Amino acid sequence: MTAAPLRVGNFSGFYGDRADALREMLTGGEVDVLTGDYLAELTMLILARDRLKDPAAGYARTFLRQLEETLGLAHERGVRIVTNAGGLHPAGLADAVRRLADRLGLPVRVAHVEGDDLTARHPGSLAAHAYLGGFGIAACLRGGADVVVTGRVTDAALVTGPAAAHFDWAPTEYDRLAGAVVAGHVLECGTQATGGNYAFFGERPADVRRPGFPLAEIHADGSSVITKHPGTGGFVDVGTVTAQLLYETGGARYAGPDVTARLDSVRLGQDGPDRVRVEGVRGEAPPPVLKTGINRLGGFRNEVVFVLTGLDVEAKAELVKEQMGDALAKAPPAEVRWELARTDRPDAGTEETASALLRLVVRDPGQEAVGRALSGAAVELALASYPGFHVLAPPGKGSPYGVFEDAYVPQDAVDHVAVLPDGRRVAVRPPHRTRALEDVPGPALPEPLPAGPVRRAPLGLLAGARSGDKGGNANIGVWVRGDDAWRWLAHELTAERLRELLPETRDLPVTRHLLPNLRAVNFVVEGILGEGVAAQARFDPQAKALGEWLRSRHLDIPEVLL
């Protein structure tokens, strides 16, 4: 007998997402499992700092507040909840959920997953956690859990675990597992799959002011349909799913602890209004190692933004740079960085649009070097610098910043354990088969578009994009919606052309990956984010808008495509 499809929904894409989403998903339509993703690289650092102040902390407290209003409803409807809100302290959150259930008089069975915490192996780190797979979650669900709490698992594991439990998949059923990974990757960022942050949001009549959260109907063969509850905002189409598939990925092989999914095998098709079918996904044995995210304290950071209004912006900037340089030379911080943003316009109608912003950022291992010296030097210039001198805000004492790095450990070096509702501890074995990760040979380029008239225009008139961060690297996924546009994009948007269009990438390693099934190219730009989001190395520290910058750049586009 074939198992019925599993309906898995999402109610959180990050720590701070819409508070009432869990209730919306429980009341808006049929669903079997609801997943909440709370963890990003920066979140782990935030939770680590919380736990320094309070050893009982370290998990996403907002999840408990959401659950207080909805746990009875979930129990009544038989909906299971799986979340990584446990963060650094999954056992603590599991206990808190049990206390909540007892207070509400609900017979809810709670389990949790542990083994990801490797902080003790990395002296000097605030948090070091391996990315676990979904089979610990599956063991908890098979053990009767209604709520499963994890720490650092891969985002897709929140979906692969329930799917493996529901369909009783073996660890070697790679194609099925890979299909669930793709579905999980689409769901993990919540409303980014339903019109949120979408490049072509203005083209659809759908109301995108409050997109509904996504859900996946997963089938026994690993295929799925991405959709949302009826009547909720936003929309689901091949474009929104493509955008999310490209988010924070690299090449054709998308590696995870349970399986490596081949993104070049994914086929998408519209299956009706707000329904996209995902099929054809192929999987391979996972790599022999697990990624480990390590967060450390990098030092202290301070900044001041000088406002330069009207004429002689460049000369004003040079004057204040020289003045601040003389003052900071007495006790120079380890790093001094200036950035001039020419937000000003000539003959502007408002003072704000007549002004440019000059940002000074300093970093140092010690707080004193970025605090008092910078604050005093900037304030003392108030009556002694360029005409119209003022700053957006006075600099403070300086604040600590974190740095993120990747490390890798053998799969069998981690004690992956499912702690069942009755307290039994079930060890999750590492995979029997592994395959070292290597790049897929690039596919053949399509036939180029015949030569014809071109028009100078923004890339975004033709192509969508989505970008994001992975440690110090950024990815930019770019896709088009027709075969002729794909023929042009594949030949035109090379790594070299990307460097021309985005000068910040000019001296950085850039790798291009082609995904013909998605009519997409995916770029990985190494080092553009420095030591990760917490280090705030650039204006857009998570590269969220890097793709939109690219779409705004002008190049020669065939008129036939416009």
Side-chain angles (χ1 to χ4, degrees):
M1 180 178 178
T2 303
L6 180 69
R7 297 163 297 190
V8 182
N10 173 280
F11 65 88
S12 177
F14 69 102
Y15 192 8
D17 211 341
R18 191 186 305 166
D20 56 1
L22 181 50
R23 176 174 290 278
E24 289 179 11
M25 292 301 290
L26 284 168
T27 58
E30 296 298 321
V31 66
D32 302 308
V33 178
L34 284 175
T35 63
D37 181 8
Y38 291 77
L39 301 184
E41 293 167 0
L42 180 61
T43 314
M44 298 299 281
L45 179 63
I46 292 169
L47 294 176
R49 292 177 62 182
D50 287 347
R51 204 169 187 190
L52 287 176
K53 302 172 187 175
D54 178 6
Y59 55 78
R61 296 181 184 273
T62 53
F63 170 68
L64 273 180
R65 292 197 289 272
Q66 292 172 286
L67 204 59
E68 184 158 10
E69 300 178 356
T70 55
L71 187 57
L73 189 58
H75 177 68
E76 175 188 320
R77 300 196 170 196
V79 176
R80 292 172 155 185
I81 296 173
V82 179
T83 179
N84 61 15
L88 278 61
H89 195 13
L93 179 56
D95 286 340
V97 174
R98 291 186 189 97
R99 291 193 298 271
L100 173 63
D102 289 344
R103 180 160 57 82
L104 297 175
L106 298 171
V108 172
R109 295 162 295 185
V110 183
H112 73 275
V113 177
E114 57 187 42
D116 59 301
D117 191 350
L118 305 182
T119 307
R121 304 187 196 180
H122 296 272
S125 65
L126 292 176
H129 291 257
Y131 289 71
L132 303 180
F135 279 97
I137 295 169
C140 291
L141 293 171
R142 288 171 178 147
D146 302 305
V147 177
V148 180
V149 173
T150 78
R152 179 74 277 185
V153 296
T154 64
D155 300 339
L158 300 176
V159 173
T160 60
H166 181 74
F167 297 113
D168 199 26
W169 288 337
T172 53
E173 295 188 73
Y174 298 130
D175 290 349
R176 293 178 171 88
L177 287 167
V181 164
V182 169
H185 181 55
V186 174
L187 295 189
E188 69 187 49
C189 289
T191 55
Q192 279 196 169
T194 57
N197 299 356
Y198 182 55
F200 300 114
F201 71 96
E203 294 184 3
R204 292 291 299 265
D207 186 352
V208 295
R209 291 175 298 174
R210 188 181 172 87
F213 278 70
L215 61 91
E217 300 167 358
I218 302 175
H219 296 266
D221 64 355
S223 65
S224 62
V225 172
I226 308 299
T227 184
K228 65 186 184 69
H229 283 329
T232 56
F235 58 95
V236 179
D237 67 12
V238 169
T240 65
V241 174
T242 299
Q244 181 54 29
L245 270 179
L246 295 171
Y247 183 61
E248 294 182 344
T249 60
R253 285 191 165 104
Y254 186 61
D258 302 318
V259 65
T260 293
R262 289 290 296 262
L263 298 183
D264 56 347
S265 66
V266 179
R267 298 197 306 271
L268 304 179
Q270 201 71 37
D271 197 47
D274 293 321
R275 292 177 64 83
V276 171
R277 182 167 295 279
V278 183
E279 56 191 353
V281 186
R282 303 297 303 272
E284 300 169 345
V289 293
L290 293 177
K291 176 182 173 180
T292 301
I294 304 172
N295 287 280
R296 305 182 189 275
L297 181 64
F300 293 85
R301 179 186 184 278
N302 204 355
E303 74 170 61
V304 59
V305 180
F306 301 90
V307 183
L308 314 174
T309 304
L311 305 178
D312 305 320
V313 166
E314 299 284 349
K316 290 171 180 174
E318 286 305 312
L319 174 58
V320 77
K321 282 183 182 180
E322 292 175 6
Q323 290 176 310
M324 289 298 298
D326 292 342
L328 293 175
K330 300 171 185 176
E335 179 184 343
V336 178
R337 181 171 178 173
W338 292 93
E339 291 180 359
L340 176 61
R342 293 301 303 265
T343 53
D344 55 306
R345 289 183 240 161
D347 195 21
T350 66
E351 182 177 339
E352 186 171 1
T353 57
S355 300
L357 301 178
L358 178 64
R359 184 186 308 272
L360 167 61
V361 177
V362 296
R363 303 173 191 270
D364 197 87
Q367 188 172 20
E368 180 73 16
V370 304
R372 185 179 304 168
L374 178 63
S375 300
V379 171
E380 288 170 4
L381 293 180
L383 304 179
S385 189
Y386 58 86
F389 179 98
H390 66 287
V391 297
L392 287 185
K397 298 178 180 179
S399 58
Y401 70 90
V403 298
F404 178 88
E405 62 180 295
D406 292 341
Y408 293 87
V409 297
Q411 288 250 19
D412 59 5
V414 174
D415 296 323
H416 189 178
V417 175
V419 184
L420 304 187
D422 61 7
R424 284 182 297 141
R425 300 175 62 84
V426 177
V428 180
R429 295 178 179 177
H432 292 293
R433 291 170 50 193
T434 60
R435 174 176 177 166
L437 199 63
E438 55 187 20
D439 289 338
V440 175
L445 288 171
E447 286 293 318
L449 205 62
V454 297
R455 187 195 317 164
R456 196 75 177 170
L459 175 64
L461 292 184
L462 182 68
R466 178 163 289 165
S467 55
D469 63 314
K470 282 291 183 184
N473 301 337
N475 94 290
I476 312 170
V478 184
W479 80 96
V480 289
R481 296 176 291 182
D483 290 338
D484 284 346
W486 167 240
R487 292 167 65 188
W488 174 81
L489 183 76
H491 287 273
E492 176 67 21
L493 198 56
T494 61
E496 291 74 21
R497 179 56 58 88
L498 182 87
R499 290 191 181 97
E500 294 173 9
L501 295 171
L502 304 184
E504 284 186 50
T505 71
R506 188 169 292 155
D507 299 322
L508 298 173
V510 176
T511 305
R512 184 179 87 150
H513 304 279
L514 271 69
L515 298 169
N517 281 4
L518 302 177
R519 300 190 189 100
V521 292
N522 196 23
F523 296 94
V524 177
V525 183
E526 297 180 34
I528 191 170
L529 303 180
E531 295 176 295
V533 54
Q536 297 183 342
R538 66 187 298 272
F539 167 69
D540 175 15
Q542 288 182 284
K544 296 292 189 182
L546 199 58
E548 287 301 294
W549 179 27
L550 177 62
R551 292 182 70 234
S552 75
R553 296 308 307 263
H554 290 224
L555 66 172
D556 293 333
I557 299 177
E559 287 189 355
V560 68
L561 300 179
L562 296 172

